[in-house]
Amino acid sequence: MDGEVIQHHTPGGLGAAESSRTAPFVEISQLSKRFGATVALRSVSFDIRKGETLGLLGANGAGKSTLIKILSGLQPATSGTVSVQGEGREFTSPNQAQQLGIVTVHQNIDDGVVFGMTVAENLMLDTLGLFQPNPFLTYRKIRRRARALLEELELELPLDLPVEQLSASDRQQVSIGRALAKSPNLLILDEPTSTLSSREAELLFGAVRDLQYRGISVLYVSHRMSEIEELCHRAVVLRNGSVVSEHQQPLDLRAVTQSILGDLASTSLGAGRQHAPGDVVMRLRGVRSGKETAPFDLEVRRGEVLGVTGLVGAGKTELLEQLAGTRPLESGVITLNGSEYKPKSVADAIAKGVVMMPEERAVQAIFPDESVSRHLSIGRMGKVSRLGFMDRARERSFAEQVIAKFAVKAAGPDAAIETLSGGNQQKALVGRWLVEQQSLVILDEPFRGVDIGARAVIATELHEYSERAAVIVASSDPEEVLEVADRVLVMVDGRIVSDSPAFEMNSEALADAMSEVQRTTTSGAPQS
Ligand SMILES: Nc1ncnc2c1ncn2[C@@H]1O[C@H](COP(=O)(O)OP(=O)(O)OP(=O)(O)O)[C@@H](O)[C@H]1O
């Protein structure tokens, strides 16, 4: 431990019984985990007390997910012990962990849902034992129980839709609902808000507070310091697989950040940078973000990072997909470097120099068994093949450049992508589009699961890259947008309601604009 001063405090409005939060529910002792030559956890010891919400923090690759996988019975530890309510336990399956009341919502949303089943079936999967055939269990009954659960959690989800038809954030809500239906004693949440809008995140915080009142323990992993501050009674920091500090409320955020990174020098983000907008790269005239919405005009220039924000469902993705060739143009005309631009497909857009990193990393971009280098070549076949055959040397050297430039923590270009921590996968995916020259790079939610140090690296690279190309960054988190953007568009219900230089905005003003659904004006970006 670094020996931080420990002060006692209850997070705002929690009111959970202080006295019951002294006995440990889980005690982790000298836990270590190796993957070949990689040491993911080194002799980790701490406890999670009854009724407390404990924050688990650490940079990308620090070992958080590995620890969670051990606690959930998904992976065995190499050495060390885990005790539950004072008894040493070894879990060899998620079922065993769940029998002891330990339920986990994993970082990858789709680990928590079963495709091909409806929302109602997913919610009741474990509680009603739907994996076993039961002739007496009707869909009506499943649906009734699921609806009662949703009412209790104050969630609104379409019960009869197959989960694969839901948006990422709705699937996330289903997996959280499914976990809560199991009445856990310890709920582990691994970056639960990374795919949620701020309103959905508020609902989740309400659910966590409810668990606190009921004396249920929560292990809460997040890169967002404001969430740790708001929800957690204590926080433990992992760095390079070791526990390096423990913090109590009120959190000293500077000390926490320093402890996570081991060095504060690399965390200055882009706020307040000087920039000079250059030539127009892409010009939109009469374009719509959806069929029902009013058309608008927009110019995207070299020399500035254009941030696009709005709640989930505001129309950001619909707009950006039209630019990237994944969705046909609804209406209007687009020009790219002065010529008409009407991409017929993603490949056509890429050939014209417009590339997009999609929002849903796991579903749309990751092929788990492929190596990092193969992964980074997907969509760049023309650049890494010769006479139709993959050129392995070129593929590896490209991957090496991305790994070095974005400080991706990986055993090397041949490592399978699934051996990288979530945040390191994300850095590699962002980096793959910023090594070569493009006309326009679009990144949808690039900071998802990325730690504060890595965010600074990405922001710096984006600023540098924007000198040569137009860059659009979309995020539903106003703070993330302000960290990187020079100019910010706010979208509400498919319309652009504000278009301003970033230095004129702050996160409160942005959040207000994002939630202002009843605006009467059509667009803050004037038609010309
Ligand atoms: N299956 C695996 N094979 C090899 N190495 C692995 C494997 N899983 C994890 N690692 C390595 O263990 C270390 C810890 O990874 P882990 O996923 O626990 O980090 P994390 O703290 O959850 O990061 P993030 O914030 O990016 O999700 C990393 O160096 C990672 O590359």
Side-chain angles (χ1 to χ4, degrees):
M1 300 269 159
D2 284 348
E4 271 82 1
V5 179
I6 294 191
Q7 293 159 335
H8 290 275
H9 170 84
T10 306
L14 289 180
E18 282 296 311
S19 55
S20 67
R21 285 208 316 272
T22 47
F25 175 65
V26 168
E27 290 166 277
I28 296 160
S29 180
Q30 307 281 318
L31 209 64
S32 295
K33 175 75 183 174
R34 283 175 176 279
F35 295 100
T38 308
V39 183
L41 294 174
R42 295 161 209 267
S43 216
V44 165
S45 302
F46 65 89
D47 55 23
I48 307 167
R49 298 172 199 157
K50 286 185 184 155
E52 86 168 337
T53 300
L54 179 68
L56 181 62
L57 297 163
N60 295 135
K64 305 176 298 295
S65 299
T66 304
L67 182 66
I68 288 173
K69 283 179 190 152
I70 295 171
L71 289 179
S72 351
L74 279 172
Q75 274 175 3
T78 309
S79 60
T81 56
V82 176
S83 308
V84 180
Q85 313 238 58
E87 256 185 69
R89 301 283 187 173
E90 218 171 278
F91 330 129
T92 46
S93 75
N95 265 350
Q96 279 179 341
Q98 285 175 24
Q99 275 159 16
L100 294 167
I102 301 176
V103 176
T104 304
V105 177
H106 291 282
Q107 202 180 98
N108 183 356
I109 317 159
D110 293 328
D111 288 346
V113 292
V114 177
F115 281 17
M117 284 185 157
T118 65
V119 169
E121 287 166 331
N122 264 279
L123 289 169
M124 291 294 118
L125 207 52
D126 317 273
T127 3
L128 293 181
L130 301 190
F131 286 122
Q132 311 293 332
N134 177 352
F136 302 106
L137 189 59
T138 59
Y139 184 70
R140 247 179 94 189
K141 181 168 180 204
I142 297 170
R143 197 177 188 284
R144 202 171 54 236
R145 289 280 300 271
R147 197 169 54 204
L149 176 73
L150 288 185
E151 272 166 20
E152 195 189 319
L153 302 175
E154 292 180 57
L155 291 178
E156 273 179 36
L157 291 166
L159 283 170
D160 303 316
L161 224 56
V163 273
E164 59 272 28
Q165 289 181 25
L166 263 51
S167 66
S169 63
D170 282 354
R171 292 204 302 280
Q172 169 83 323
Q173 303 222 42
V174 172
S175 65
I176 291 170
R178 180 181 165 198
L180 291 176
K182 292 181 225 174
S183 307
N185 292 323
L186 168 63
L187 181 71
I188 302 178
L189 296 170
D190 192 359
E191 292 187 42
T193 55
S194 54
T195 51
L196 300 185
S197 68
S198 42
R199 199 188 76 83
E200 290 163 338
E202 276 305 322
L203 286 174
L204 174 76
F205 299 162
V208 171
R209 287 199 187 95
D210 195 41
L211 295 174
Q212 290 168 344
Y213 279 116
R214 286 158 49 198
I216 293 164
S217 312
V218 178
L219 182 63
Y220 193 92
V221 179
S222 177
H223 290 294
R224 295 180 175 160
M225 217 65 88
S226 56
E227 296 178 4
I228 301 288
E229 200 176 18
E230 191 174 334
L231 288 176
C232 298
H233 298 100
R234 266 190 321 142
V236 165
V237 177
L238 283 178
R239 192 164 73 230
N240 291 330
S242 302
V243 174
V244 288
S245 63
E246 182 191 319
H247 306 257
Q248 297 272 349
Q249 291 278 8
L251 297 179
D252 175 345
L253 294 186
R254 198 180 154 78
V256 176
T257 310
Q258 188 145 27
S259 185
I260 291 171
L261 297 175
D263 168 23
L264 268 188
S266 58
T267 59
S268 81
L269 290 153
R273 83 168 184 127
Q274 299 287 322
H275 78 287
D279 314 334
V280 173
V281 173
M282 187 175 266
R283 181 170 275 130
L284 282 61
R285 288 284 175 265
V287 168
R288 293 171 205 262
S289 68
K291 286 191 178 65
E292 307 297 322
T293 57
F296 53 80
D297 300 343
L298 186 67
E299 273 152 14
V300 192
R301 295 172 181 276
R302 214 183 313 282
E304 69 177 4
V305 174
L306 177 65
V308 180
T309 189
L311 299 175
V312 171
K316 305 184 296 293
T317 303
E318 287 78 356
L319 170 62
L320 301 179
E321 285 182 352
Q322 292 179 63
L323 310 186
T326 20
R327 184 184 282 261
L329 194 60
E330 295 276 354
S331 68
V333 178
I334 303 181
T335 54
L336 178 70
N337 297 321
S339 311
E340 189 174 355
Y341 169 77
K342 207 172 182 180
K344 291 187 282 295
S345 61
V346 176
D348 189 25
I350 293 175
K352 294 180 164 109
V354 177
V355 296
M356 171 160 160
M357 185 192 80
E359 174 188 12
E360 290 178 57
R361 177 181 77 209
V363 178
Q364 295 173 22
I366 293 274
F367 299 86
D369 304 331
E370 294 286 8
S371 65
V372 176
S373 59
R374 175 55 51 84
H375 198 88
L376 298 184
S377 317
I378 296 163
R380 306 177 53 261
M381 296 308 232
K383 310 250 170 65
V384 290
S385 62
R386 214 179 273 164
L387 304 173
F389 292 100
M390 291 303 297
D391 182 337
R392 297 260 181 268
R394 263 201 250 179
E395 201 181 58
R396 289 184 93 250
S397 107
F398 177 75
E400 275 161 2
Q401 282 180 61
V402 175
I403 288 171
K405 201 165 175 148
F406 286 83
V408 176
K409 217 173 155 191
D414 300 327
I417 191 98
E418 67 179 343
T419 67
L420 271 61
S421 77
N424 280 295
Q425 291 178 12
Q426 185 77 355
K427 277 198 279 181
L429 284 171
V430 171
R432 74 191 272 226
W433 299 115
L434 298 179
V435 167
E436 286 166 345
Q437 178 65 40
Q438 318 285 352
S439 285
L440 170 64
V441 175
I442 303 166
L443 303 169
D444 200 359
E445 304 285 352
F447 294 123
R448 192 166 277 174
V450 169
D451 73 51
I452 180 166
R455 267 160 43 199
V457 171
I458 292 178
T460 308
E461 290 295 333
L462 281 174
H463 290 150
E464 198 215 303
Y465 195 82
S466 73
E467 300 303 321
R468 288 172 278 139
V471 175
I472 301 180
V473 170
S475 167
S476 46
D477 181 337
E479 298 208 2
E480 283 179 3
V481 172
L482 287 175
E483 276 173 10
V484 68
D486 301 306
R487 180 181 147 208
V488 183
L489 293 188
V490 180
M491 296 189 71
V492 172
D493 279 351
R495 294 169 293 129
I496 296 172
V497 296
S498 143
D499 180 350
S500 333
F503 66 81
E504 286 180 6
M505 299 297 265
N506 60 34
S507 52
E508 287 79 37
L510 271 187
D512 283 350
M514 282 163 70
S515 51
E516 196 170 339
V517 185
Q518 300 302 332
R519 287 257 182 149
T520 44
T521 49
T522 309
S523 164
Q527 294 260 343
S528 53

Short mmCIF file of all heavy atoms in Angstrom, two decimals, residues 7 24 41 43 56 74 123 140 153 193 215 233 237 239 250 260 275 298 303 317 346 351 390 398 482-483 498 503:
data_model
loop_
_atom_site.label_atom_id
_atom_site.label_comp_id
_atom_site.label_asym_id
_atom_site.label_seq_id
_atom_site.Cartn_x
_atom_site.Cartn_y
_atom_site.Cartn_z
N GLN A 7 -9.97 8.28 5.51
CA GLN A 7 -10.98 9.02 6.25
C GLN A 7 -12.32 8.33 6.04
O GLN A 7 -12.54 7.72 5.00
CB GLN A 7 -11.08 10.45 5.73
CG GLN A 7 -9.83 11.23 6.03
CD GLN A 7 -9.72 12.43 5.10
OE1 GLN A 7 -10.25 12.45 4.00
NE2 GLN A 7 -9.01 13.43 5.55
N PRO A 24 -16.25 -8.71 6.45
CA PRO A 24 -16.01 -8.98 5.03
C PRO A 24 -16.97 -10.02 4.48
O PRO A 24 -17.30 -10.99 5.17
CB PRO A 24 -14.58 -9.49 4.99
CG PRO A 24 -14.22 -9.85 6.38
CD PRO A 24 -15.19 -9.18 7.31
N LEU A 41 -1.84 -10.94 -12.35
CA LEU A 41 -2.08 -10.56 -10.95
C LEU A 41 -0.92 -11.06 -10.10
O LEU A 41 -0.47 -12.19 -10.26
CB LEU A 41 -3.38 -11.19 -10.42
CG LEU A 41 -4.69 -10.73 -11.06
CD1 LEU A 41 -5.86 -11.55 -10.52
CD2 LEU A 41 -4.95 -9.24 -10.82
N SER A 43 0.01 -11.52 -6.22
CA SER A 43 -0.20 -11.54 -4.78
C SER A 43 -1.19 -10.46 -4.31
O SER A 43 -0.88 -9.64 -3.46
CB SER A 43 1.16 -11.32 -4.12
OG SER A 43 1.24 -12.06 -2.97
N LEU A 56 -13.11 -0.70 -8.05
CA LEU A 56 -11.84 -1.34 -8.44
C LEU A 56 -11.32 -0.56 -9.64
O LEU A 56 -11.98 -0.48 -10.68
CB LEU A 56 -12.08 -2.81 -8.81
CG LEU A 56 -10.85 -3.61 -9.22
CD1 LEU A 56 -9.83 -3.69 -8.08
CD2 LEU A 56 -11.23 -5.02 -9.64
N LEU A 74 -14.78 -18.07 -13.81
CA LEU A 74 -14.50 -18.28 -15.25
C LEU A 74 -13.06 -18.73 -15.47
O LEU A 74 -12.76 -19.37 -16.48
CB LEU A 74 -14.72 -16.97 -16.02
CG LEU A 74 -16.16 -16.64 -16.39
CD1 LEU A 74 -16.23 -15.24 -16.96
CD2 LEU A 74 -16.71 -17.64 -17.38
N LEU A 123 -34.18 -12.39 -19.38
CA LEU A 123 -34.25 -11.89 -18.00
C LEU A 123 -34.50 -13.02 -17.01
O LEU A 123 -34.02 -13.01 -15.89
CB LEU A 123 -35.36 -10.83 -17.88
CG LEU A 123 -35.07 -9.49 -18.55
CD1 LEU A 123 -36.32 -8.63 -18.59
CD2 LEU A 123 -33.95 -8.75 -17.83
N ARG A 140 -46.20 -17.16 -21.29
CA ARG A 140 -46.97 -16.13 -20.56
C ARG A 140 -46.43 -15.92 -19.15
O ARG A 140 -46.31 -14.81 -18.67
CB ARG A 140 -48.44 -16.57 -20.48
CG ARG A 140 -49.34 -15.66 -21.29
CD ARG A 140 -50.75 -16.09 -21.24
NE ARG A 140 -51.48 -15.40 -20.18
CZ ARG A 140 -52.70 -15.74 -19.84
NH1 ARG A 140 -53.31 -16.75 -20.42
NH2 ARG A 140 -53.32 -15.07 -18.91
N LEU A 153 -37.34 -2.66 -11.36
CA LEU A 153 -36.08 -1.98 -11.69
C LEU A 153 -36.31 -0.66 -12.43
O LEU A 153 -35.36 0.03 -12.77
CB LEU A 153 -35.20 -2.89 -12.57
CG LEU A 153 -34.83 -4.25 -12.00
CD1 LEU A 153 -34.06 -5.07 -13.03
CD2 LEU A 153 -33.98 -4.08 -10.75
N THR A 193 -21.22 1.21 -17.35
CA THR A 193 -21.85 2.35 -18.03
C THR A 193 -21.24 2.65 -19.39
O THR A 193 -21.64 3.59 -20.05
CB THR A 193 -21.76 3.63 -17.17
OG1 THR A 193 -20.39 3.86 -16.87
CG2 THR A 193 -22.56 3.52 -15.91
N GLY A 215 -28.19 -3.86 1.73
CA GLY A 215 -27.03 -4.50 2.35
C GLY A 215 -26.29 -5.45 1.41
O GLY A 215 -25.57 -6.34 1.85
N HIS A 233 -18.02 3.37 -1.53
CA HIS A 233 -17.59 3.69 -0.17
C HIS A 233 -16.06 3.70 -0.10
O HIS A 233 -15.48 4.48 0.65
CB HIS A 233 -18.11 2.62 0.80
CG HIS A 233 -19.60 2.55 0.84
ND1 HIS A 233 -20.33 1.62 0.17
CD2 HIS A 233 -20.50 3.35 1.46
CE1 HIS A 233 -21.63 1.82 0.39
NE2 HIS A 233 -21.75 2.87 1.16
N VAL A 237 -6.92 0.34 -5.90
CA VAL A 237 -6.27 0.56 -7.20
C VAL A 237 -5.28 -0.57 -7.50
O VAL A 237 -4.43 -0.90 -6.65
CB VAL A 237 -5.52 1.92 -7.23
CG1 VAL A 237 -4.78 2.10 -8.55
CG2 VAL A 237 -6.49 3.07 -7.00
N ARG A 239 -2.25 -1.77 -10.10
CA ARG A 239 -1.32 -1.30 -11.16
C ARG A 239 -0.39 -2.46 -11.48
O ARG A 239 0.21 -3.03 -10.58
CB ARG A 239 -0.54 -0.07 -10.68
CG ARG A 239 0.20 0.60 -11.82
CD ARG A 239 0.66 2.01 -11.47
NE ARG A 239 1.76 2.01 -10.56
CZ ARG A 239 1.82 2.73 -9.44
NH1 ARG A 239 0.82 3.52 -9.10
NH2 ARG A 239 2.86 2.67 -8.66
N PRO A 250 -13.90 11.10 1.56
CA PRO A 250 -13.99 11.69 0.23
C PRO A 250 -12.70 11.41 -0.55
O PRO A 250 -11.61 11.57 -0.03
CB PRO A 250 -14.12 13.20 0.52
CG PRO A 250 -13.51 13.38 1.87
CD PRO A 250 -13.65 12.10 2.62
N ILE A 260 -3.27 5.30 -10.12
CA ILE A 260 -3.64 4.46 -11.28
C ILE A 260 -2.50 4.46 -12.30
O ILE A 260 -2.10 3.44 -12.83
CB ILE A 260 -4.93 4.99 -11.94
CG1 ILE A 260 -6.12 4.76 -11.02
CG2 ILE A 260 -5.18 4.33 -13.31
CD1 ILE A 260 -7.40 5.43 -11.49
N HIS A 275 -6.07 25.95 -32.32
CA HIS A 275 -6.14 25.26 -33.60
C HIS A 275 -6.66 26.22 -34.65
O HIS A 275 -7.30 27.22 -34.34
CB HIS A 275 -7.05 24.04 -33.52
CG HIS A 275 -8.50 24.38 -33.58
ND1 HIS A 275 -9.14 24.96 -32.52
CD2 HIS A 275 -9.43 24.26 -34.56
CE1 HIS A 275 -10.40 25.18 -32.83
NE2 HIS A 275 -10.60 24.77 -34.07
N LEU A 298 -23.85 20.90 -43.30
CA LEU A 298 -22.72 20.78 -42.37
C LEU A 298 -21.42 20.80 -43.16
O LEU A 298 -21.36 20.28 -44.27
CB LEU A 298 -22.86 19.44 -41.63
CG LEU A 298 -21.88 19.14 -40.51
CD1 LEU A 298 -22.12 20.10 -39.33
CD2 LEU A 298 -22.08 17.71 -40.01
N GLY A 303 -7.95 20.27 -39.82
CA GLY A 303 -7.43 21.19 -38.80
C GLY A 303 -8.29 21.29 -37.56
O GLY A 303 -7.93 21.99 -36.62
N THR A 317 -25.25 7.96 -34.87
CA THR A 317 -24.77 6.82 -35.66
C THR A 317 -25.41 6.82 -37.04
O THR A 317 -24.73 6.56 -38.04
CB THR A 317 -25.07 5.52 -34.88
OG1 THR A 317 -24.42 5.63 -33.61
CG2 THR A 317 -24.55 4.30 -35.61
N VAL A 346 -19.04 0.22 -47.81
CA VAL A 346 -17.94 0.60 -46.92
C VAL A 346 -16.63 0.57 -47.71
O VAL A 346 -15.79 1.49 -47.59
CB VAL A 346 -17.84 -0.38 -45.73
CG1 VAL A 346 -16.64 -0.05 -44.85
CG2 VAL A 346 -19.10 -0.34 -44.92
N ALA A 351 -12.07 3.28 -50.14
CA ALA A 351 -11.27 3.57 -51.34
C ALA A 351 -11.21 5.09 -51.59
O ALA A 351 -10.22 5.59 -52.12
CB ALA A 351 -11.88 2.85 -52.54
N MET A 390 -2.02 -12.37 -48.83
CA MET A 390 -1.65 -11.52 -47.70
C MET A 390 -0.14 -11.42 -47.62
O MET A 390 0.56 -12.42 -47.75
CB MET A 390 -2.15 -12.15 -46.38
CG MET A 390 -3.63 -12.16 -46.22
SD MET A 390 -4.36 -10.54 -46.33
CE MET A 390 -3.63 -9.72 -44.94
N PHE A 398 2.88 -3.12 -39.99
CA PHE A 398 1.81 -2.14 -39.74
C PHE A 398 1.35 -2.26 -38.28
O PHE A 398 1.23 -1.27 -37.56
CB PHE A 398 0.63 -2.40 -40.69
CG PHE A 398 -0.53 -1.48 -40.45
CD1 PHE A 398 -0.49 -0.16 -40.87
CD2 PHE A 398 -1.66 -1.92 -39.79
CE1 PHE A 398 -1.55 0.71 -40.63
CE2 PHE A 398 -2.73 -1.06 -39.54
CZ PHE A 398 -2.67 0.25 -39.97
N LEU A 482 -15.63 16.97 -24.87
CA LEU A 482 -14.89 18.20 -24.59
C LEU A 482 -13.40 17.95 -24.41
O LEU A 482 -12.59 18.85 -24.64
CB LEU A 482 -15.46 18.86 -23.33
CG LEU A 482 -16.83 19.51 -23.54
CD1 LEU A 482 -17.38 20.02 -22.23
CD2 LEU A 482 -16.75 20.65 -24.56
N GLU A 483 -13.03 16.74 -24.03
CA GLU A 483 -11.61 16.43 -23.87
C GLU A 483 -10.88 16.48 -25.20
O GLU A 483 -9.69 16.76 -25.25
CB GLU A 483 -11.43 15.03 -23.28
CG GLU A 483 -11.54 14.99 -21.78
CD GLU A 483 -11.54 13.57 -21.24
OE1 GLU A 483 -11.26 12.62 -22.01
OE2 GLU A 483 -11.82 13.41 -20.06
N SER A 498 -27.24 22.35 -31.76
CA SER A 498 -26.22 23.33 -31.42
C SER A 498 -24.92 22.97 -32.13
O SER A 498 -24.63 21.80 -32.35
CB SER A 498 -26.07 23.35 -29.89
OG SER A 498 -24.76 23.53 -29.50
N PHE A 503 -14.49 25.67 -26.86
CA PHE A 503 -14.12 26.54 -25.74
C PHE A 503 -15.31 27.34 -25.20
O PHE A 503 -15.26 27.86 -24.10
CB PHE A 503 -12.94 27.46 -26.09
CG PHE A 503 -13.25 28.49 -27.15
CD1 PHE A 503 -13.92 29.66 -26.82
CD2 PHE A 503 -12.87 28.28 -28.47
CE1 PHE A 503 -14.21 30.60 -27.79
CE2 PHE A 503 -13.16 29.21 -29.45
CZ PHE A 503 -13.83 30.37 -29.11
#
